[in-house]
Amino acid sequence: MERIAEWLHEKNPGLDGPIDPDEDLIEARLIDSMDFLEFVDLLEELSGRSIDLQEVTIDDFRTLGRVRQRFLSAAG
């Protein structure tokens, strides 16, 4: 999760402090449509798995907690 937080801070230079695991990344505009595919690439790199965009919903990317549960846990 540290690398994801770093990436979000790189994309949002005005962002200070930690990102709450329940913060809505999309509503807060921390991820926008221009960065979305890069974010998916990062998750694929970190998880070691390909993400089929036909099998996920936008809610799977909405919070850090959900990202962890959906893509970075062993059961994901």
Side-chain angles (χ1 to χ4, degrees):
M1 294 307 294
E2 183 176 324
R3 179 63 193 116
I4 294 171
E6 288 173 7
W7 184 86
L8 288 167
H9 279 90
E10 288 168 13
K11 294 292 177 182
N12 300 279
L15 182 62
D16 290 327
I19 302 167
D20 188 283
D22 295 322
E23 177 158 9
D24 190 318
L25 303 174
I26 297 164
E27 288 292 320
R29 300 184 189 267
L30 298 179
I31 299 174
D32 63 21
S33 58
M34 300 298 287
D35 295 326
F36 183 73
L37 290 178
E38 187 178 337
F39 186 61
V40 170
D41 286 342
L42 175 63
L43 294 177
E44 288 179 334
E45 177 186 323
L46 294 173
S47 70
R49 299 190 308 257
S50 179
I51 296 172
D52 183 347
L53 294 178
Q54 300 290 333
E55 296 180 5
V56 294
T57 69
I58 195 67
D59 290 334
D60 291 325
F61 302 94
R62 196 165 287 281
T63 68
L64 289 178
R66 181 66 178 141
V67 165
R68 178 190 315 235
Q69 177 185 21
R70 180 67 172 89
F71 304 108
L72 302 177
S73 70

